[in-house]
Amino acid sequence: MAPGEKIKAKIKKNLPVRGPQAPTIKELMRWYCLNTNTHGCRRIVVSPGRLRRLLWILFTLTAVALIFWQCALLVASFYTVSVSIKVHFQKLDFPAVTICNINPYKYSVVRDLLADLEQETRVALKTLYGFPENTSRRRREAESWNSDWESTRPRFLRVVPLMAFRQDETGEVRDFLTGRKRKFSGRIIHKASDAMHVHRSKEVVGFQLCSNDTSHCALYTFSSGVNAIQEWYKLHYMNIMAQVPLEKKINMSYSAEELLVTCLFDGVSCDARNFTLFHHPMYGNCYTFNNRENETILSTSMGGSEYGLQVILYINEEEYNPFLVSSSGAKVIVHRQDEYPFVEDVGTEIEPAMATSIGMHLTESFKLSEPYSQCTEDGSDVPISNIYNAAYSLQICLHSCFQTKMVEKCGCAQYNQPLPPAANYCNYQQHPNWMYCYYELHQAFVREELGCQAVCREACSFKEWTLTTSLAQWPSVVSEKWLLPVLTWDQGQQIKKKLNKTDLAKLLIFYKDLNQRSIMESPANSIEMLLSNFGGQLGLWMSCSVVCVIEIIEVFFIDSFSIIARHQWQKAKDWWARRHTPPQGQDNPGLDIDDDLPTFTSALRLPPAPGTQVPGTPPPRYNTLRLERAFSDQLSDTQIPAES
């Protein structure tokens, strides 16, 4: 470094430096408080007296704490939503309507397939209750079944044995097949909270399910023997029907011309061609009106029963399976065109010999997705494969998750649900463990151990029809005399029997009015409102603006860290210099070597060298005052002649 630069550096070092280049944090903070527009910080420095300074420090810190608290509340309220409800009158699209007979297949057609199962069911009922058959026809059937029972080995009661046990005798059960008591060491799972007494005793009825190696068994009990018998029958029924081809099952169920006797929509006649076949394993042939497969979606221009859908259904109670269903009628579900109809989960049941009027109100909901809620737009961000050919919904996600888990753990899919990829329907000939696996999975699903409830999310937008049901006796006593013969004549080729009022049911589905209600969520706060609230809090408590906030960030973070980094760097340089620079001035330790050139002033300040004498003022030399000749020798031609 040049000598002049060293002198400038020394002068600059000795001058007081303030602002971002201040040598210490204390000087930086003092400079900031004197120059900022935040009045509280300035009063801390300029206030006279220690007490006032402490008070202003307390006030300033309190204001800062209040600002942080208010801003935290503002940020928390930013993710809240406000709900607005709009009701507008317009022409509404009519929803899809799926209609199913409660009895899935004609009993006369499937009776041969279910003969062995029904035979064992009747024997189990006789063992449990001991009731006699009423009609002579049933007596003859029972006698023939009893003779067959003695000659054949029961199959269904061996696969899933029905059992009964007394609650006060733990570990001992009675087998329906043999009638003997035996020890039972497996788990007993009650399917109801309170067990009801069966046949005036403390016996509880259930069925036993075991794994393939019979090492794990469980006894599933029910609150009533009726529930136990129906559930046991349903398991074997599903297993038998899973092995029947789909085309054959469609032919065994009701056709559209047979189920739909009359049809009227919006005052215009309709027929079976306006309905689309939808085969459900537990409800047989179902038919959907105004399905998405139609070219155009029907709409209604007026409210009221005269402008909706009116149908008369043929129930045919004589063809009902006595063990599968215990009620008669039809089931109706109202849904969107792109929605899968879960007939077994939701729907409205209508009874025969009655006119069921269903009034509708349409509600359309729109929810905000993340970060306001956990809903999903179309299910693409949900890690569950949609095995249904329908739009996403929470119900579809839960069913898809359960069926996928069943394929993974049981090796097959449940019969009354669509097939996941690379899966087949369950039956105990190919999958002897599926019944035990199904019930174990169902228990885990109810206990939320499969994780389906945590993974599946609600859809952000959906339509919902609020239904109001009313009943009236139909047909009336005075009108059935002419109505039933006319309907019998109209359906002569399809039904081939004389109709009575218990074979028919009337259904009316209509909009009560055309007022559509829309429920929409919107953010309670916007970015502009949030920033405005931030500015209001800063101005209220600290009288500062956004520029002051930037200034605080610059001083307290950038400049402070720069000073700390500069000090640490200087310490590191000094440590490195002391470690790698050899010591100097060992010959004369008292001598302080200075790289600067000596000046007169600095020379006077130097201490005298030890052991030396300070010289005095030398005496003057007078011979220097004499005028000497400039040239000692002269040329010959310049010599002056001597005087004589």
Side-chain angles (χ1 to χ4, degrees):
M1 183 182 290
E5 296 295 331
K6 289 185 177 181
I7 294 174
K8 291 181 180 180
K10 276 194 171 185
I11 294 174
K12 185 177 181 181
K13 185 177 180 180
N14 293 329
L15 289 176
V17 181
R18 297 177 180 177
Q21 300 298 326
T24 62
I25 298 294
K26 181 179 179 181
E27 291 293 334
L28 177 64
M29 295 297 105
R30 182 178 179 85
W31 172 83
Y32 167 74
C33 292
L34 290 174
N35 293 275
T36 184
N37 290 330
T38 307
H39 303 300
C41 297
R42 182 178 179 86
R43 297 300 302 175
I44 293 174
V45 177
V46 302
S47 294
R50 183 175 298 177
L51 179 60
R52 290 192 179 184
R53 292 181 181 179
L54 291 177
L55 290 176
W56 276 108
I57 291 175
L58 179 62
F59 294 156
T60 304
L61 294 179
T62 303
V64 171
L66 290 173
I67 287 177
F68 278 106
W69 176 55
Q70 293 291 333
C71 292
L73 293 179
L74 291 174
V75 172
S77 65
F78 180 75
Y79 293 103
T80 58
V81 297
S82 60
V83 179
S84 60
I85 300 177
K86 298 180 179 179
V87 179
H88 45 276
F89 181 87
Q90 63 179 11
K91 186 177 181 180
L92 297 179
D93 292 336
F94 202 78
V97 179
T98 299
I99 304 174
C100 307
N101 196 325
I102 293 180
N103 184 55
Y105 305 106
K106 299 176 184 178
Y107 183 66
S108 59
V109 179
V110 300
R111 185 172 178 178
D112 294 337
L113 296 174
L114 306 175
D116 295 338
L117 176 60
E118 292 193 0
Q119 176 184 352
E120 297 187 25
T121 304
R122 292 184 182 275
V123 172
L125 285 173
K126 187 175 182 179
T127 304
L128 176 62
Y129 291 99
F131 61 88
E133 298 289 344
N134 294 326
T135 62
S136 60
R137 180 177 65 87
R138 292 183 178 178
R139 287 197 189 99
R140 290 193 299 268
E141 292 174 352
E143 291 175 358
S144 62
W145 287 341
N146 289 335
S147 61
D148 294 338
W149 174 269
E150 296 175 355
S151 61
T152 59
R153 298 179 60 186
R155 177 175 47 146
F156 302 100
L157 285 174
R158 291 188 181 276
V159 175
V160 183
L162 279 167
M163 295 182 177
F165 74 98
R166 297 178 64 90
Q167 293 181 343
D168 53 354
E169 296 178 0
T170 59
E172 192 174 83
V173 297
R174 179 167 60 90
D175 195 333
F176 277 29
L177 179 61
T178 61
R180 300 175 182 176
K181 291 185 178 181
R182 62 184 180 88
K183 297 292 183 181
F184 181 78
S185 59
R187 295 178 298 125
I188 298 177
I189 301 174
H190 294 278
K191 302 293 287 184
S193 57
D194 298 324
M196 298 177 60
H197 293 173
V198 179
H199 199 52
R200 295 183 180 181
S201 67
K202 294 183 179 180
E203 283 189 334
V204 178
V205 184
F207 50 82
Q208 175 185 327
L209 292 176
C210 298
S211 58
N212 284 336
D213 54 1
T214 67
S215 59
H216 299 88
C217 292
L219 179 61
Y220 294 90
T221 63
F222 297 82
S223 60
S224 172
V226 174
N227 296 336
I229 292 295
Q230 284 186 330
E231 191 70 15
W232 178 84
Y233 184 92
K234 183 180 177 181
L235 279 177
H236 294 291
Y237 168 84
M238 292 169 56
N239 176 75
I240 293 173
M241 298 307 296
Q243 305 173 47
V244 179
L246 178 60
E247 294 183 0
K248 186 176 181 180
K249 287 187 290 188
I250 292 177
N251 294 329
M252 290 189 301
S253 186
Y254 301 90
S255 63
E257 292 79 7
E258 191 174 4
L259 178 64
L260 303 167
V261 180
T262 63
C263 177
L264 193 68
F265 175 74
D266 202 11
V268 180
S269 179
C270 54
D271 54 19
R273 292 173 295 181
N274 299 99
F275 290 80
T276 304
L277 173 64
F278 165 68
H279 184 79
H280 192 277
M282 291 305 299
Y283 286 91
N285 290 346
C286 300
Y287 298 94
T288 303
F289 177 78
N290 196 24
N291 195 20
R292 59 179 171 177
E293 296 181 2
N294 298 336
E295 296 181 358
T296 58
I297 297 178
L298 301 176
S299 59
T300 179
S301 57
M302 292 289 291
S305 59
E306 298 295 329
Y307 299 93
L309 176 65
Q310 302 181 32
V311 292
I312 296 178
L313 305 176
Y314 177 54
I315 302 301
N316 195 9
E317 190 176 357
E318 292 183 358
E319 290 285 354
Y320 270 47
N321 189 324
F323 299 108
L324 184 64
V325 292
S326 56
S327 59
S328 61
K331 201 161 189 179
V332 180
I333 178 173
V334 178
H335 56 93
R336 294 187 307 175
Q337 277 74 19
D338 58 349
E339 184 179 0
Y340 184 86
F342 287 98
V343 185
E344 70 278 17
D345 295 341
V346 294
T348 303
E349 293 186 353
I350 61 175
E351 56 181 304
M354 300 292 290
T356 305
S357 299
I358 301 177
M360 300 183 299
H361 278 295
L362 175 59
T363 301
E364 196 170 9
S365 300
F366 300 93
K367 299 183 65 176
L368 294 176
S369 58
E370 292 183 350
Y372 300 98
S373 67
Q374 297 296 323
C375 69
T376 177
E377 295 291 343
D378 54 0
S380 58
D381 53 347
V382 177
I384 298 295
S385 178
N386 188 352
I387 63 175
Y388 297 83
N389 186 20
Y392 175 87
S393 66
L394 178 61
Q395 203 169 19
I396 281 182
C397 181
L398 292 175
H399 280 272
S400 299
C401 179
F402 183 79
Q403 295 303 317
T404 304
K405 297 292 183 182
M406 194 166 182
V407 172
E408 295 175 357
K409 298 183 180 295
C410 306
C412 57
Q414 191 179 354
Y415 167 65
N416 61 339
Q417 299 292 337
L419 286 174
N424 57 349
Y425 285 127
C426 298
N427 63 82
Y428 54 65
Q429 294 182 356
Q430 300 178 359
H431 307 89
N433 195 39
W434 84 266
M435 292 184 181
Y436 176 80
C437 184
Y438 165 74
Y439 268 88
E440 290 296 311
L441 278 181
H442 188 266
Q443 292 294 323
F445 179 81
V446 173
R447 295 192 300 265
E448 300 185 5
E449 296 177 359
L450 297 181
C452 296
Q453 286 83 352
V455 173
C456 294
R457 295 184 288 173
E458 189 179 2
C460 292
S461 60
F462 55 91
K463 291 182 178 181
E464 183 180 14
W465 284 269
T466 304
L467 307 181
T468 303
T469 305
S470 60
L471 299 175
Q473 185 178 356
W474 181 90
S476 63
V477 178
V478 295
S479 63
E480 67 175 300
K481 296 180 180 180
W482 72 268
L483 185 62
L484 295 179
V486 173
L487 292 177
T488 303
W489 183 82
D490 290 339
Q491 296 295 110
Q493 296 181 354
Q494 299 294 334
I495 300 175
K496 297 180 181 179
K497 59 170 288 190
K498 184 179 180 180
L499 296 177
N500 55 62
K501 61 188 307 181
T502 58
D503 290 331
L504 302 173
K506 187 175 182 180
L507 173 65
L508 298 91
I509 300 179
F510 55 92
Y511 279 112
K512 283 189 171 182
D513 50 50
L514 299 184
N515 292 329
Q516 178 182 351
R517 185 173 63 171
S518 299
I519 302 177
M520 305 182 65
E521 289 185 352
S522 59
N525 294 304
S526 61
I527 295 295
E528 296 80 4
M529 186 178 297
L530 182 65
L531 294 177
S532 177
N533 292 332
F534 281 167
Q537 296 299 325
L538 291 173
L540 175 64
W541 298 107
M542 292 290 291
S543 68
C544 61
S545 61
V546 177
V547 178
C548 296
V549 175
I550 298 175
E551 184 182 75
I552 292 173
I553 296 174
E554 179 187 13
V555 172
F556 284 85
F557 292 96
I558 300 176
D559 296 340
S560 299
F561 289 156
S562 299
I563 293 174
I564 295 173
R566 188 163 61 242
H567 286 181
Q568 296 298 327
W569 175 250
Q570 187 62 38
K571 288 181 180 179
K573 287 177 60 178
D574 295 343
W575 174 82
W576 186 263
R578 288 193 303 269
R579 183 172 181 178
H580 294 278
T581 302
Q584 298 181 4
Q586 294 182 356
D587 298 338
N588 189 6
L591 181 61
D592 186 12
I593 301 176
D594 194 358
D595 294 337
D596 295 341
L597 296 177
T599 60
F600 180 76
T601 305
S602 62
L604 292 178
R605 296 178 179 176
L606 291 175
T612 59
Q613 295 181 357
V614 180
T617 303
R621 295 176 62 186
Y622 296 98
N623 56 355
T624 60
L625 300 176
R626 289 186 304 175
L627 180 63
E628 294 182 354
R629 298 179 63 180
F631 302 98
S632 59
D633 296 331
Q634 294 183 348
L635 296 177
S636 58
D637 56 349
T638 61
Q639 291 182 356
I640 301 174
E643 296 178 357
S644 56

